[in-house]
Amino acid sequence: MSGQSAPAWSGEHEVTDASGATTSTIGAPDADASWRDADERLRAAARTGVACAPVRELIGETDERAAYAVQSLGVERRLAEGRRIVGRKIGLTSPAVQAQFGVYTPDYGVLLDDMVFADREPIDLGRFLQPRAEAEVAFVLGRDLDSPTAHVADVIRATEFVLPAIEVVDSRIAGWDIRITDTIADNASSGAVVLGTTPHRLDGLDLAGVGMRLDHGGEPVSTGSGAACLGNPVIAVAWLARAVARHGRPLRAGEVILSGALGPMVAAAEGVFHARLDGLGEVRADFTTTEGAAA
């Protein structure tokens, strides 16, 4: 998909739970005015920098079909503005993160080109509303993953390399007062991603056993392991591959896939967040203020 003009981000859409079961289908996202109202609420929050009320007030607290329709509207708008899809993310894979929000099923979102930063590249905190950081394993695909029955062997075969990553999650919903429909509609609470620059092949790596430590100012602020991510980040990517293939938007060669948090998310603040992932190396997110970024 990278480097090509993407088709409209709409159409048939099935919601798949963590077991792989299909639960619902939606049509084109112009079917309900409440979806457009929710999209406009999120858009206004992003534009003004003022967080908004939960969109579940408009689309319901449990209607994932409506929430993904709202997400589709937001992605379509960004593509029309000239952005480019470079990958996807799976969210809510860690029990620790799920417990933080009372949400107990994964979801997914879209990564756009203006969301990606390199190791140690300054990131202006002013671009976010309520940023939080979490360490993850990023997969870079060498082949398409386009089967609605994709399994872990397919993921391993399709993965060109993996990188350590820090995802910056953000919510346009005031006070992070979210339920599953709020975060799905808000592009899975996406903000940005910082990628390490030393690739590692999967050969011989035990991603379930990867230990993670995230420091800020030299002090640990989050710890975890690959097992916290649906048991193994490879399992998480397989779940994502099946879900998006069923929804008509399969994972493509060249895409970056964020596989989910390895531990609790923490509030982002000025300074360097330094993640160490056993066997995968290190990555640093350098958060600055607007003044610091201009210096």
Side-chain angles (χ1 to χ4, degrees):
M1 188 176 301
S2 177
Q4 301 176 5
S5 296
W9 195 264
S10 61
E12 292 300 312
H13 189 142
E14 297 170 341
V15 175
T16 307
D17 64 21
S19 70
T22 298
T23 57
S24 64
T25 303
I26 64 172
D30 59 355
D32 194 320
S34 66
W35 302 346
R36 295 194 178 277
D37 291 342
D39 173 60
E40 179 53 37
R41 180 178 292 188
L42 293 168
R43 180 182 184 182
R47 183 177 65 247
T48 63
V50 178
C52 63
V55 296
R56 63 181 181 270
E57 299 174 351
L58 301 171
I59 61 174
E61 188 165 325
T62 61
D63 190 352
E64 294 183 30
R65 60 185 291 276
Y68 278 112
V70 176
Q71 182 187 121
S72 294
L73 289 171
V75 172
E76 287 177 344
R77 172 170 40 80
R78 296 299 311 285
L79 294 176
E81 293 169 351
R83 299 270 57 93
R84 180 171 57 91
I85 295 170
V86 297
R88 320 296 172 83
K89 61 159 286 185
I90 178 171
L92 301 170
T93 55
S94 164
V97 174
Q98 290 179 347
Q100 282 180 289
F101 298 109
V103 173
Y104 298 101
T105 183
D107 69 345
Y108 66 82
V110 177
L111 301 179
L112 300 169
D113 55 343
D114 62 343
M115 297 167 63
V116 181
F117 293 82
D119 182 33
R120 307 190 196 208
E121 184 178 358
I123 308 172
D124 183 6
L125 282 169
R127 65 181 280 138
F128 308 110
L129 275 72
Q130 306 170 96
R132 299 184 178 186
E134 55 190 30
E136 307 194 9
V137 177
F139 290 64
V140 179
L141 300 182
R143 304 182 187 180
D144 292 353
L145 269 173
D146 54 6
S147 171
T149 60
H151 50 72
V152 293
D154 296 320
V155 172
I156 292 168
R157 189 163 39 241
T159 300
E160 186 168 355
F161 56 86
V162 293
L163 297 167
I166 295 174
E167 184 184 359
V168 186
V169 290
D170 195 18
S171 181
R172 272 50 65 175
I173 308 297
W176 276 90
D177 177 15
I178 63 172
R179 298 295 184 269
I180 187 65
T181 51
D182 296 303
T183 184
I184 290 173
D186 194 18
N187 196 21
S189 302
S190 297
V193 57
V194 183
L195 297 175
T197 54
T198 303
H200 294 265
R201 302 192 71 84
L202 283 180
D203 300 353
L205 282 177
D206 174 17
L207 290 185
V210 167
M212 179 278 293
R213 171 172 161 164
L214 180 64
D215 292 351
H216 179 238
E219 297 296 326
V221 292
S222 181
T223 59
S225 72
C229 182
L230 291 186
N232 189 313
V234 175
I235 295 174
V237 176
W239 179 94
L240 176 65
R242 291 191 297 270
V244 298
R246 288 183 178 120
H247 305 164
R249 306 297 289 181
L251 304 181
R252 296 301 189 190
E255 287 194 309
V256 176
I257 311 300
L258 295 184
S259 57
L262 305 186
M265 64 174 65
V266 296
E270 188 172 7
V272 175
F273 282 75
H274 182 186
R276 299 175 177 86
L277 278 65
D278 296 341
L280 295 181
E282 307 176 355
V283 60
R284 296 170 178 83
D286 183 7
F287 293 108
T288 70
T289 62
T290 302
E291 293 78 8

